[in-house]
Amino acid sequence: MDVILHLSDPHFGTELPEVTQALIELTYQEQPNLTIISGDITQRARTKQFTAAKAFTEALQSKTKVVIAGNHDIPLFNLPMRLFWPYYNYQKTFGENLEPVFESDTLLVVTVKTTRRYRHVNGELSVTQIDRVCRLLQQGKPSQLRIVVAHHPLFVNNMVDEDNVVKGRDRAIFQWAKAGADLILGGHIHLPFIIPLHQKIDELTYPLWVIQAGPAVSERMRWNAGNSVNIIRYQESSDEPRHCKVEQWDYHDQQSGFLCVAKETLKLSLATL
């Protein structure tokens, strides 16, 4: 069985040490074979913050990590850096590739960069990026759980967050669903939830799920959401319909650790589209 840890928005520079340590301990407990971090690794894209974030990711007990940048990982106040070398500190820490891909016999993870140097908060998807993700999804194997990762959300569950939806999302949703995407993971708005897009959009005939993660270890929390991460479990089987299980794990002060607070089984499309 594949065990995937999905976390987002750790915002190093605002991290809570006790929560950070508890999340590291959770990885020793659950032993994820893949960790996905969907952006806003740092608070202000400073070298010291990236150094702390790197130490944290290396401490996670996970065989593989897939990391993408968020809008906070581009300098805000250092205008020359933002204009000419926006991802310099990020790439120095996590590698040159801003849209990494991970593939195994049972998983296909395609990331897409929604941040732009000319946008302070909001995200954007170009036609070229959408088509690239489609091509990679179409090359996937029937046995694979096919995941797209973006920092900005493609769908939200609260009208107040509509302004945070990534530009270009309508084209992306329809094309990625047709190309075989199962899950779209994201962050940015610091709220955990799961949305079945095929139940929200009448024209969508393929099962496609949006899974958002809350702030993993940061003090920058919204409302009563608190610190949380997701764990996705997937096992390819010929004996039952395709599905995966998603668990929400929240940090609790009294236990000084992360506890599973919700579980949901997501029905997926047929293996061959």
Side-chain angles (χ1 to χ4, degrees), residues 203-265:
E203 297 83 2
L204 201 65
T205 57
Y206 302 98
L208 180 59
W209 301 83
V210 161
I211 302 176
Q212 289 287 128
V217 299
S218 173
E219 65 183 11
R220 300 181 76 247
M221 294 173 276
R222 290 184 64 190
W223 302 326
N224 296 319
N227 297 110
S228 71
V229 299
N230 299 318
I231 292 180
I232 302 167
R233 304 183 192 273
Y234 175 72
Q235 187 164 12
E236 194 267 336
S237 172
S238 58
D239 298 330
E240 54 186 338
R242 290 183 73 236
H243 70 278
C244 67
K245 297 180 179 180
V246 182
E247 302 167 357
Q248 179 181 326
W249 290 70
D250 290 358
Y251 178 79
H252 287 256
D253 288 321
Q254 291 181 339
Q255 287 78 15
S256 298
F258 282 84
L259 300 179
C260 183
V261 298
K263 297 181 180 181
E264 187 169 350
T265 298

Side-chain angles (χ1 to χ4, degrees), residues 43-46 72 74-82 120:
Q43 176 62 11
R44 286 290 172 249
R46 292 171 180 151
H72 276 262
I74 301 174
L76 177 60
F77 302 113
N78 187 334
L79 293 182
M81 285 287 290
R82 184 178 184 89
H120 170 42

Side-chain angles (χ1 to χ4, degrees), residues 56-272:
F56 164 73
T57 58
E58 290 179 345
L60 297 175
Q61 185 67 17
S62 179
K63 295 178 181 178
T64 306
K65 290 102 175 180
V66 174
V67 184
I68 61 169
N71 54 292
H72 276 262
D73 299 315
I74 301 174
L76 177 60
F77 302 113
N78 187 334
L79 293 182
M81 285 287 290
R82 184 178 184 89
L83 289 174
F84 299 107
W85 309 282
Y87 299 100
Y88 177 80
N89 283 336
Y90 174 87
Q91 290 176 305
K92 185 173 66 174
T93 307
F94 291 106
E96 291 292 322
N97 191 353
L98 295 173
E99 296 182 317
V101 174
F102 170 80
E103 185 170 12
S104 69
D105 288 340
T106 52
L107 296 176
L108 175 61
V109 179
V110 181
T111 70
V112 59
K113 180 178 73 69
T114 56
T115 55
R116 300 291 189 266
R117 75 185 75 195
Y118 51 83
R119 291 185 180 274
H120 170 42
V121 175
N122 301 104
E124 182 179 323
L125 287 166
S126 69
V127 172
T128 300
Q129 287 179 302
I130 294 170
D131 290 346
R132 166 189 167 268
V133 172
C134 284
R135 288 194 300 273
L136 291 168
L137 290 171
Q138 289 166 349
Q139 294 168 12
K141 304 171 185 175
S143 59
Q144 290 173 324
L145 177 68
R146 297 175 285 269
I147 301 172
V148 180
V149 185
H151 175 61
H152 294 84
L154 274 77
F155 212 90
V156 294
N157 64 351
N158 196 320
M159 284 297 296
V160 73
D161 288 317
E162 281 293 334
D163 288 343
N164 291 300
V165 171
V166 67
K167 183 180 179 181
R169 69 92 180 262
D170 291 338
R171 179 187 178 98
I173 285 174
F174 284 105
Q175 292 201 11
W176 294 349
K178 189 176 181 180
D182 293 311
L183 313 176
I184 301 176
L185 309 188
H188 185 61
I189 55 176
H190 294 200
L191 288 175
F193 56 80
I194 299 173
I195 293 179
L197 290 181
H198 48 286
Q199 294 179 16
K200 298 290 185 179
I201 303 173
D202 291 338
E203 297 83 2
L204 201 65
T205 57
Y206 302 98
L208 180 59
W209 301 83
V210 161
I211 302 176
Q212 289 287 128
V217 299
S218 173
E219 65 183 11
R220 300 181 76 247
M221 294 173 276
R222 290 184 64 190
W223 302 326
N224 296 319
N227 297 110
S228 71
V229 299
N230 299 318
I231 292 180
I232 302 167
R233 304 183 192 273
Y234 175 72
Q235 187 164 12
E236 194 267 336
S237 172
S238 58
D239 298 330
E240 54 186 338
R242 290 183 73 236
H243 70 278
C244 67
K245 297 180 179 180
V246 182
E247 302 167 357
Q248 179 181 326
W249 290 70
D250 290 358
Y251 178 79
H252 287 256
D253 288 321
Q254 291 181 339
Q255 287 78 15
S256 298
F258 282 84
L259 300 179
C260 183
V261 298
K263 297 181 180 181
E264 187 169 350
T265 298
L266 310 187
K267 295 181 179 179
L268 306 175
S269 64
L270 297 176
T272 54

